[in-house]
Amino acid sequence: SCSDSGTFLGLGTVTGSVAIHIAFSLQRLYYVKEAHGIVVTDVAFVPESRGGRELLGGHEAALLSVAVDSRCKLHLLPSRRSLPVWLLLLLCAGLIVAAILLLQLAFPGFL
């Protein structure tokens, strides 16, 4: 199953495992081995509507899986953490200053 935004791909396997991948790179973000213990017959993402957002809470996506024995399970994908751009730029500037200081220490007449 593909999410409404097209970002995520949900998979259910014959062994009962459930996985969520990034659609364009197929990088695995979530995996539960034998979540059902029997064949997964269907998977569907919770719609990204107002009601779906209430169910998601702080999670990035939610996948509903159904097995042959008619049991349903909800799999929540936690929000991925990322660095803010300003922090990344600050770290890069710090690395440049540290490199210049180290070069100045190693070669006193460098600057």
Side-chain angles (χ1 to χ4, degrees):
S1 177
C2 190
S3 65
D4 288 347
S5 63
T7 306
F8 302 111
L9 183 67
L11 301 171
T13 67
V14 175
T15 61
S17 301
V18 175
I20 299 175
H21 296 265
I22 295 176
F24 63 87
S25 67
L26 296 181
Q27 176 187 1
R28 184 167 59 191
L29 298 176
Y30 177 88
Y31 179 75
V32 178
K33 184 176 182 180
E34 298 177 0
H36 287 280
I38 195 163
V39 178
V40 175
T41 56
D42 195 17
V43 292
F45 282 95
V46 173
E48 295 177 5
S49 62
R50 183 174 304 181
R53 283 283 161 211
E54 291 175 6
L55 181 63
L56 284 176
H59 296 88
E60 199 164 354
L63 181 71
L64 185 67
S65 61
V66 182
V68 170
D69 59 1
S70 298
R71 290 189 182 170
C72 300
K73 291 192 178 181
L74 183 66
H75 306 272
L76 296 172
L77 180 65
S79 295
R80 293 174 282 167
R81 305 230 184 254
S82 61
L83 290 175
V85 174
W86 64 267
L87 181 60
L88 186 60
L89 291 173
L90 185 66
L91 289 173
C92 288
L95 283 173
I96 291 171
V97 169
I100 290 172
L101 289 175
L102 284 174
L103 284 171
Q104 186 65 30
L105 285 173
F107 307 104
F110 180 69
L111 290 178

